[in-house]
Amino acid sequence: MKKIEKTEQEWKAQLSDEQYRVTRQHGTERAFTGELTNHKAKGEYLCICCGEPLFKSDHKYDSGSGWPSYWQPINDASITEVRDVSHGMIRVEVRCARCDAHLGHVFEDGPKPTGLRYCINSASLKFEDK
């Protein structure tokens, strides 16, 4: 996969302030405020920065966490996982493999078959009907 690299100015011109804060500055939207949290349509969730397909609606579930949650990505090559020790916690950050956008975090308290909960910010995603 070819990496997409842009200057901070290019990202700022492309993204809303909230999208930029979440994806490029590793921010988090407030729980239960994201427009995709209760989204139920069939399709795919793409990276807001580069359009990389990340998650399928068939893998989305209501975790009660306040963020869109998925039990697996479209494929392992679409995301990267990075150890995150910010805010006095030890977590696993999820990033887009193509453009390094911060997406959210993955936790080991999800449903079968993976047992994973990819807790993803709505601001880092765009939806495409299928």
Side-chain angles (χ1 to χ4, degrees), residues 31-51:
F32 301 101
T33 63
E35 67 181 63
L36 297 175
T37 302
N38 296 313
H39 190 255
K40 306 273 191 234
K42 296 291 182 191
E44 292 182 346
Y45 296 88
L46 314 176
C47 176
I48 195 70
C49 294
C50 70

Side-chain angles (χ1 to χ4, degrees), residues 9-121:
Q9 307 308 11
E10 289 172 316
W11 287 124
K12 284 181 180 180
Q14 174 185 329
L15 303 168
S16 72
D17 290 345
E18 177 72 350
Q19 291 166 341
Y20 180 81
R21 184 184 70 77
V22 169
T23 62
R24 309 320 306 176
Q25 296 180 317
H26 304 268
T28 300
E29 62 199 11
R30 287 189 352 260
F32 301 101
T33 63
E35 67 181 63
L36 297 175
T37 302
N38 296 313
H39 190 255
K40 306 273 191 234
K42 296 291 182 191
E44 292 182 346
Y45 296 88
L46 314 176
C47 176
I48 195 70
C49 294
C50 70
E52 178 69 19
L54 300 171
F55 300 96
K56 290 184 179 183
S57 59
D58 293 345
H59 302 149
K60 188 174 192 276
Y61 72 102
D62 182 3
S63 68
S65 67
W67 290 274
S69 298
Y70 310 85
W71 49 270
Q72 75 178 28
I74 284 182
N75 65 61
D76 290 337
S78 65
I79 62 164
T80 56
E81 296 180 2
V82 179
R83 187 170 190 248
D84 177 1
V85 295
S86 65
H87 307 291
M89 297 179 272
I90 299 173
R91 303 178 290 178
V92 178
E93 178 189 7
V94 179
R95 294 183 189 174
C96 174
R98 191 170 179 209
C99 69
D100 286 328
H102 170 75
L103 304 172
H105 292 86
V106 62
F107 302 95
E108 295 180 347
D109 61 359
K112 292 180 181 181
T114 64
L116 299 174
R117 173 174 52 101
Y118 288 87
C119 190
I120 307 298
N121 292 285

